[in-house]
């Protein structure tokens, strides 16, 4: 997928593209609907996803930056798989953040010249988020730009709750440990990614070696044990994933550890992506090593049954 950057990149887009503008964190079912609508309007090869990297809040409200649902590179791959032919990355620089909604639209109308804009009903843009779909509709009238406003995606969760898919909703579910429900909204498993680093090696002594992940700036689910999956070298491995401290050993540092059932070899220094499929149990303190080992045996057996 081709990548362009900044306002200069926006100006260099070939005329007649279909533009979808947003942060696209998670590239969930709603995002996919936008890209599919753009492709249906302009045809293949002309869909452009316009996103921000990093999040504008890193400059505007550093204390309120939400944890990522996807790393930037993962987001790029997901956008391409969802139908984006080009990616335009806007950095949160003053020349971008200080643009009024009117000035940003003028660049689109006079220089980028897309065939269509495809957005959701809650889309906002421009300085202080003063631009919205209502104003866009007014400004597109009398131009060659078609505005298509796409309905949100609603899904039914296992408890029969009807939820409107959004990055905020997915983030809430993921952080609460409800990874199965988060996956329903995403249309794929919720993932966390990190470099495997050396840990205390207690898992080896228990007979369940784990990969300890150094995870940065991502939505890490609540403490607990989860059923997961890791793909390596063309093979898929069921993973029993532990998130949290190590209460049996008196630890207080939050860790992300994964036991890949049946895997042999070293993973230190490798970046792996954990697909989190479902919650298994809470973290708790055991009376001793033997009790913990027996529980780990049950956890791994349960995960094997859950991971197809």
């Amino acid at each position: 997928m081709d990548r362009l950057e900044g306002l200069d990149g926006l100006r260099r887009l070939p005329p007649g593209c279909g533009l979808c503008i947003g942060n696209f964190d998670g590239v969930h079912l709603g995002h996919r609907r936008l890209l599919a609508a753009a492709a249906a309007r302009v045809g293949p090869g002309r869909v452009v996803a316009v996103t921000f990297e990093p999040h504008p809040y890193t400059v505007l409200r550093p204390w309120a930056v939400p944890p990522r649902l996807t790393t930037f590179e993962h987001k790029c791959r997901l956008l391409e798989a969802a139908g984006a032919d080009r990616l335009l990355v806007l950095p949160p620089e003053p020349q971008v953040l200080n643009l009024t909604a009117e000035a940003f639209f003028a660049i689109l109308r006079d220089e980028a010249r897309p065939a269509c804009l495809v957005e959701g009903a809650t889309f906002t843009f421009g300085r202080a988020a003063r631009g919205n779909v209502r104003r866009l509709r007014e400004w597109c009238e009398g131009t060659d730009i078609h505005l298509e406003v796409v309905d949100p995606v609603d899904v039914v969760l296992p408890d029969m709750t009807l939820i409107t898919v959004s990055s905020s909703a997915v983030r809430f579910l993921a952080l609460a440990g409800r990874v199965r429900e988060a996956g329903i909204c995403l249309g794929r498993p919720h993932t966390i990614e990190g470099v495997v680093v050396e840990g205390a090696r207690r898992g080896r002594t228990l007979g369940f070696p784990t990969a300890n992940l150094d995870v940065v700036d991502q939505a890490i689910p609540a403490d607990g044990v989860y059923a997961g999956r890791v793909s390596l070298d063309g093979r898929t491995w069921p993973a029993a994933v532990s998130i949290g401290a190590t209460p049996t050993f008196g630890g207080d540092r939050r860790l992300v550890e994964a036991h890949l059932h049946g895997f042999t070899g070293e993973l230190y220094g490798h970046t792996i992506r954990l697909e989190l499929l479902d919650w298994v149990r809470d973290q708790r303190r055991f009376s001793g090593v033997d009790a913990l080992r027996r529980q780990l045996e049950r956890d791994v057996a349960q995960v094997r049954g859950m991971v197809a």
Side-chain angles (χ1 to χ4, degrees), residues 9-295:
L10 182 62
R11 294 181 171 103
R12 294 201 309 272
L13 287 174
C17 289
L19 297 190
C20 301
I21 306 171
N23 198 50
F24 293 109
D25 192 19
V27 193
H28 52 62
L29 293 177
H31 296 141
R32 294 192 211 177
R33 177 174 284 183
L34 295 178
L35 294 165
R41 184 78 189 183
V42 300
R46 301 169 69 190
V47 177
V48 181
V50 182
T51 191
F52 300 90
E53 180 59 29
H55 196 290
Y57 275 15
T58 58
V59 174
L60 299 174
R61 300 178 185 175
W63 61 89
V65 179
R68 290 176 180 267
L69 294 171
T70 46
T71 64
F72 176 65
E73 289 301 327
H74 191 203
K75 177 167 75 171
C76 293
R77 289 189 289 271
L78 290 169
L79 285 170
E80 183 174 21
D85 303 295
R86 289 182 178 87
L87 178 67
L88 175 64
V89 182
L90 294 177
E93 297 174 346
Q95 64 177 353
V96 174
L97 297 178
N98 290 333
L99 276 177
T100 63
E102 292 89 344
F104 184 73
F105 180 77
I107 294 174
L108 294 179
R109 181 193 61 213
D110 301 332
E111 300 183 73
R113 292 176 290 165
C116 70
L117 296 172
V118 181
E119 302 296 343
T122 60
F123 173 66
T124 59
F125 65 101
R127 189 172 63 206
R130 294 292 179 85
N132 54 38
V133 167
R134 179 185 60 79
R135 301 186 77 183
L136 262 185
R137 199 181 300 280
E138 294 172 359
W139 294 341
C140 285
E141 288 182 4
T143 74
D144 294 329
I145 302 174
H146 171 79
L147 174 64
E148 183 168 349
V149 180
V150 175
D151 290 334
V153 174
D154 293 329
V155 297
V156 178
L157 301 182
D159 64 0
M160 301 308 294
T161 299
L162 180 69
I163 186 172
T164 298
V165 175
S166 68
S167 295
S168 296
V170 175
R171 192 174 295 110
F172 169 81
L173 291 169
L175 292 174
R178 299 170 63 180
V179 295
R180 181 182 175 195
E181 290 94 331
I184 292 171
C185 296
L186 290 167
R188 59 172 178 82
H190 174 59
T191 62
I192 52 179
E193 186 176 293
V195 177
V196 178
V197 297
E198 190 166 347
R201 294 180 176 264
R202 292 194 185 98
R204 291 182 185 272
T205 64
L206 293 168
F208 297 93
T210 59
N212 296 268
L213 271 64
D214 182 15
V215 181
V216 180
D217 186 28
Q218 293 172 65
I220 307 301
D223 290 1
V225 175
Y226 296 85
R229 183 169 56 208
V230 175
S231 295
L232 291 169
D233 300 325
R235 295 185 61 187
T236 299
W237 309 87
V241 181
S242 172
I243 298 176
T246 52
T248 302
F249 300 100
D252 57 6
R253 187 166 68 92
R254 202 161 186 249
L255 304 172
V256 177
E257 304 175 274
H259 170 71
L260 280 60
H261 178 74
F263 178 83
T264 57
E266 291 292 348
L267 291 170
Y268 293 127
H270 291 268
T271 297
I272 64 173
R273 184 180 302 127
L274 296 177
E275 296 183 337
L276 299 175
L277 306 177
D278 211 343
W279 182 88
V280 174
R281 65 171 174 86
D282 288 324
Q283 287 279 13
R284 64 180 185 271
R285 181 178 180 133
F286 293 89
S287 59
V289 170
D290 289 339
L292 174 59
R293 183 182 293 111
R294 288 192 295 270
Q295 181 60 57

